Amino acid sequence: MWFSLKKIFSAVSRVFTSEHTVDALRNTLSVIMPIVFFYKIGWPTTGIGVGIGALMICMTDLPGNRSDKFRAAWISVLIFTIIAMLTAWSTISPMLMIVVVVFVTFLLTMGAVMGQRMAGIGLMGIILATFTIGLKPKDPLLYGNYIFWGGVWYYLISLLQISVFPYRSLRRAIKQTEEQTAALLRLRAKGYNPKISLSGFNQRNMRLHLKLANSHELIRQLLLSDRKAIQQLNLKTAVFLEKSINLIDLYEQVSAVHYDYPYLRRQFESTGVLPFIQQSIELLATSLVKPQHQLTITQWEDLRKALAYKVEILEESKKNLLRQILANIDEIYALITSIHQPQAYLDQSTERYRDFLTLTPVQAKSFKSHFSLRSPIFRFALRLSALSLVAMLLITWLTKEHYSYWLLLTMVIVSRPSYGQTIKRNAERVVGTALGLLIGWSLSQYVATPVQLLVSVFGLFGFFAFNRIIYSLSAVCITVAVILCLNVYDGNLWKLVSDRAVFTILGVLLCLGATFVFPIWNAPRLSHLMTEVVKANLLYFQAVVKLKPNDPNTIHQTRLARKLSHQQLSALSEAVYAAQKEPLKRKLNWSLIKRIQLFSYQFNVLTAAFAGLQKQGGGNFSAADIFEVERNLQQSLANIKQIELTEATDLPIWEDKPMQLVEVSGYLAALSANAVKQSQYL
């Protein structure tokens, strides 16, 4: 309970101290202004139609650059207008309405093949169709016209904003990445404090790495997907490009801040070195988010001198270890300085940076390949279509229930591909709706109508502000706004509250049942994802072996291999997290899965440290060691493909020795070979 309250308080604080406030205010005004204007001139129906158009389309406005926004604008307006007219026309016949809604649901859900933005447009298109069957407009063309102008009105505001502040989303993404990197540095600093337990350390570490990988992916999309901006590079774009590259290099160096904390604690136990290292890393985290803090700079210089002195007086084995850590810390400091004091120059060969983009397949052949039960998107489209069919049959049967469309609306909003995500969203929807109904009922009894309308506006603002941060708060806000608005407009408060409660609960129950009809389990994917991680780590290691100091080509290839490795580790982490919440979780050998995940992650971190040495010309890996690492990873690849993750196996013990690439890759090979041998024996 306390954790939940802290989480809610943190979310509220972030909203009112971040650019989410500006976005929420923009969205709220774009919905309210046309409604108020048309009500004032005596055209309430027009106001509601245009307001719904603006409400639906503003939820598709994800972070993006100018080209993203312009593309999303015309696609959204076109799709929404067609969906509005088609669904409104279908209400002339119950059977036709059912067919159209089910078809629209399937088609728009399959749009996720073309990426996150199209998935968002598809989801809101389905919600627009749901609103339409609830409104039952008599004139489809006129209704489509309202939706069209609502979309145009919203995107005029959004495109004006992105034209005036073209780097707004990118600035926000960079700031968020800096904060997450600082959080990772602070966590790493705790590893040097012997008084702090290391229990759960690796899990927290990997969660932060997952967030950072996603943040870097967003930066790449925002910065590199605008081909024109990259080809015609100006000084400001060059500054952001350099900051982004330095942030990614910083991510690599932070990953390489020493990883074997039990060994380090034993080595430096009585030397007085550990507090200096911890304080240095904490100061680096502070300087990343507060670059002008003069006290931080002064303290850093003092600690740097103290560590340099320790290097001189320690015995040789400890001296070399501390020297490596100090070199890593110096590199982090240099990168942080470069991030805050970029020396950008106009590079004419910027097109190569587009290699880092994760392109979305839009070819007809790629789209067709997803029409298979093996595709999670296809299975989810079938599930949502089946839910919409059941909902539409019930809605048709309950024709006298004016708010029966809330049933389909609930299903569309709470359904998620992952079982764990669906459970979480359903719980948040039920709790948020219950609290919202209680607040809405109380306000409707004790405050005047003008105050109810004002609270509705604030509820709409809260819905926009919290929708992507903490959904339960968003559900509270939108429920309050809906109950108060409809109470003023339509009356019959008890009917409103009871329908909202009944259709929310029924929708949640049907949604939970549907997860077993067309299931999307992550457990069967784990073996494949683990092999992809090992394969990507092997490619990353091979790229680092070829890395040469000040060689742009090998540095570029290493960064590409590093990106692929991080993406595969993130995909595995997400799948492991999701699989732990699925009904099949009890059948899996979690000790084996987590051990492979952990040591794959450790290998990635060690490779990052190796890359840092290679850039400085200090990599001293012998040809025999390189051959040994590659052979171990190849054996791991072959073995993991044969592992039965449902079989219990004894895990080999990691000996008390420092972690190195040869040892970690050897342990992975031994671990996977042992699992295969025992599963064959069983």
Side-chain angles (χ1 to χ4, degrees), residues 18 50 64 67 75 118 159 161 235 257 304 372 395 516 653:
S18 73
V50 174
S67 64
I75 291 174
M118 283 304 299
L159 293 176
Q161 184 185 37
L235 188 58
V257 170
R304 179 65 181 79
S372 164
I395 289 169
F516 295 93
I653 298 172

Side-chain angles (χ1 to χ4, degrees), residues 300-433:
W300 160 258
E301 291 173 349
D302 292 342
L303 285 167
R304 179 65 181 79
K305 289 176 183 176
L307 283 170
Y309 174 73
K310 289 288 185 182
V311 169
E312 299 301 323
I313 63 172
L314 289 175
E315 58 189 76
E316 196 62 31
S317 60
K318 295 177 181 178
K319 181 184 295 187
N320 290 333
L321 183 56
L322 181 57
R323 190 178 287 122
Q324 289 178 18
I325 296 171
L326 193 55
N328 185 207
I329 289 174
D330 286 341
E331 181 66 20
I332 291 173
Y333 181 76
L335 285 167
I336 291 173
T337 303
S338 299
I339 287 167
H340 294 305
Q341 300 173 8
Q343 303 293 322
Y345 62 94
L346 298 181
D347 185 355
Q348 300 303 315
S349 58
T350 54
E351 186 64 20
R352 73 175 185 274
Y353 291 119
R354 287 181 60 82
D355 294 344
F356 291 95
L357 270 176
T358 303
L359 299 176
T360 303
V362 293
Q363 298 90 348
K365 188 179 292 185
S366 299
F367 197 85
K368 285 180 183 177
S369 68
H370 281 273
F371 279 82
S372 164
L373 287 174
R374 291 191 299 271
S375 168
I377 295 174
F378 183 70
R379 294 174 75 86
F380 183 58
L382 288 177
R383 184 200 301 173
L384 210 52
S385 301
L387 281 171
S388 68
L389 175 60
V390 172
M392 290 303 298
L393 289 172
L394 289 171
I395 289 169
T396 305
W397 178 50
L398 300 169
T399 50
K400 294 181 181 179
E401 302 295 328
H402 185 60
Y403 300 109
S404 57
Y405 72 93
W406 280 345
L407 173 62
L408 178 57
L409 186 64
T410 297
M411 290 178 176
V412 172
I413 290 173
V414 301
S415 291
R416 289 292 180 270
S418 165
Y419 178 82
Q421 288 176 332
T422 300
I423 294 292
K424 181 174 181 290
R425 180 55 69 98
N426 274 269
E428 290 174 334
R429 179 74 174 184
V430 170
V431 172
T433 299

Side-chain angles (χ1 to χ4, degrees), residues 202-203 206 530 533-534 537 569 572 576 580 589-603 640 643 645 649-655 659 664 667-672 674-675:
N202 287 315
Q203 285 71 28
M206 285 188 281
M530 286 190 291
V533 164
V534 175
N537 274 344
L569 280 166
L572 177 60
V576 167
Q580 287 177 292
N589 185 346
W590 286 109
S591 298
L592 175 62
I593 292 167
K594 290 187 175 181
R595 190 70 64 87
I596 293 174
Q597 181 192 16
L598 173 61
F599 277 85
S600 296
Y601 169 75
Q602 294 284 12
F603 185 88
I640 290 173
I643 292 177
L645 296 179
T649 58
D650 296 325
L651 304 181
I653 298 172
W654 173 261
E655 298 175 10
M659 287 187 168
V664 170
Y667 182 80
L668 265 175
L671 176 67
S672 56
N674 183 66

Side-chain angles (χ1 to χ4, degrees), residues 252-293:
E252 181 181 60
Q253 289 300 319
V254 172
S255 299
V257 170
H258 215 287
Y259 30 81
D260 191 358
Y261 297 109
Y263 176 75
L264 274 173
R265 289 177 177 186
R266 290 192 300 272
Q267 288 294 302
F268 295 122
E269 188 174 11
S270 57
T271 62
V273 166
L274 292 174
F276 291 150
I277 299 176
Q278 180 187 354
Q279 292 170 40
S280 298
I281 298 173
E282 287 173 345
L283 283 173
L284 288 171
T286 302
S287 66
L288 180 57
V289 292
K290 296 179 181 178
Q292 304 303 323
H293 203 296

Side-chain angles (χ1 to χ4, degrees), residues 24-200:
L25 185 61
R26 176 198 64 202
N27 292 352
T28 304
L29 290 175
S30 69
V31 174
I32 297 300
M33 286 174 66
I35 294 176
V36 172
F37 173 76
F38 284 112
Y39 259 85
K40 286 288 186 183
I41 65 174
W43 295 359
T45 304
T46 304
I48 292 172
V50 174
I52 289 174
L55 174 63
M56 295 295 106
I57 213 159
C58 72
M59 298 300 294
T60 68
D61 194 11
L62 300 177
N65 52 42
R66 281 172 291 192
S67 64
D68 290 332
K69 299 272 188 178
F70 276 99
R71 193 182 308 114
W74 70 263
I75 291 174
S76 299
V77 171
L78 178 63
I79 289 176
F80 280 30
T81 303
I82 293 171
I83 293 298
M85 290 191 294
L86 182 63
T87 313
W89 166 74
S90 74
T91 57
I92 61 174
S93 163
M95 185 57 67
L96 180 62
M97 184 171 65
I98 292 171
V99 171
V100 167
V101 170
V102 172
F103 173 74
V104 162
T105 300
F106 177 79
L107 190 64
L108 292 180
T109 307
M110 286 299 297
V113 171
M114 292 181 282
Q116 185 182 8
R117 192 173 294 276
M118 283 304 299
I121 292 172
L123 174 64
M124 294 314 299
I126 298 168
I127 292 175
L128 173 61
T130 306
F131 268 95
T132 304
I133 63 172
L135 292 170
K136 292 185 173 60
K138 295 179 180 178
D139 188 337
L141 288 176
L142 183 60
Y143 176 69
N145 191 49
Y146 293 156
I147 300 300
F148 172 81
W149 286 112
V152 169
W153 157 250
Y154 171 77
Y155 265 111
L156 281 175
I157 298 172
S158 179
L159 293 176
L160 177 63
Q161 184 185 37
I162 196 68
S163 298
V164 176
F165 306 105
Y167 301 105
R168 182 170 171 271
S169 294
L170 183 57
R171 287 181 192 277
R172 179 192 295 177
I174 288 175
K175 181 175 171 33
Q176 176 180 284
T177 306
E178 289 174 350
E179 290 170 352
Q180 290 171 348
T181 306
L184 183 57
L185 272 168
R186 291 190 185 98
L187 178 63
R188 289 304 184 95
K190 291 178 181 178
Y192 292 89
N193 187 345
K195 296 178 182 178
I196 295 177
S197 171
L198 293 174
S199 176

Side-chain angles (χ1 to χ4, degrees), residues 475-486:
V476 172
C477 293
I478 196 61
T479 301
V480 171
V482 167
I483 293 300
L484 293 180
C485 262
L486 290 178

Side-chain angles (χ1 to χ4, degrees), residues 462-523:
F463 167 70
F464 289 130
F466 297 111
N467 189 50
R468 293 189 181 119
I469 300 175
I470 181 164
Y471 178 71
S472 54
L473 273 181
S474 181
V476 172
C477 293
I478 196 61
T479 301
V480 171
V482 167
I483 293 300
L484 293 180
C485 262
L486 290 178
N487 180 53
V488 171
Y489 179 75
D490 201 25
N492 200 346
L493 181 62
W494 171 248
K495 182 68 173 172
L496 276 171
V497 172
S498 60
D499 278 8
R500 186 76 172 185
V502 169
F503 289 126
T504 296
I505 293 171
L506 182 58
V508 163
L509 292 175
L510 288 171
C511 181
L512 290 175
T515 58
F516 295 93
V517 179
F518 294 105
I520 302 171
W521 306 128
N522 284 275

